[in-house]
Amino acid sequence: MYTEKVMDHFQNPRNVGEIENASGTGTVGNAKCGDIMRIYLDIDDNQVIRDVKFKTFGCGAAVATSSMATELVKGKTVQEAMEVTNKAVMEALDGLPPVKVHCSLLAEEAIHAALWDYAEKSGIVIEGLEKPKTDISEHDEDEEY
Ligand code: FES
């Protein structure tokens, strides 16, 4: 049911971990399955993503998509990272079963949430980036999320 690439990134996920004093972090969750994904970005003065790490508490497809998403954004500018959509991640993994598409959406949302955090902290605007709806990093459970 899973492609070789999905199995590879699930079994040997790249860029697992966290970055201290990250330029931006984003945490998102899917209310239905309860899975949570956090992305850390280290961005240099030229707005290039120098390093990226992730932590995912979720299903195998969520682990594989976060792994692939981190690989795709590494070395890119923040603007280029906007092109790493869930579709791009799925294509890079040679596809996901339809019931697992929402897992790849989590990866896109987590990257956007981390980019948003970076943009806010550094006072810049990333074209096309919208405020994340599901960034749960700074919210308590009883808040709107
Ligand atoms: Fe929810 Fe995969 S089942 S992220």
Side-chain angles (χ1 to χ4, degrees), residues 30 33 35 59 61-62 100 102-103 106:
N30 181 294
C33 63
D35 292 348
C59 72
K100 289 287 171 185
H102 80 270
C103 318
L106 214 51

Side-chain angles (χ1 to χ4, degrees), residues 35-89:
D35 292 348
I36 293 174
M37 193 181 290
R38 177 172 297 162
I39 297 260
Y40 303 80
L41 297 174
D42 176 22
I43 299 169
D44 71 13
D45 293 343
N46 298 319
Q47 299 185 5
V48 173
I49 300 171
R50 225 176 352 208
D51 199 11
V52 46
K53 297 268 189 245
F54 80 90
K55 277 187 175 172
T56 290
F57 307 93
C59 72
V63 172
T65 51
S66 11
S67 168
M68 181 55 93
T70 56
E71 286 286 273
L72 292 176
V73 299
K74 205 188 239 181
K76 297 225 162 86
T77 65
V78 293
Q79 201 61 59
E80 286 165 349
M82 288 296 293
E83 281 155 36
V84 179
T85 58
N86 80 306
K87 227 176 134 220
V89 174

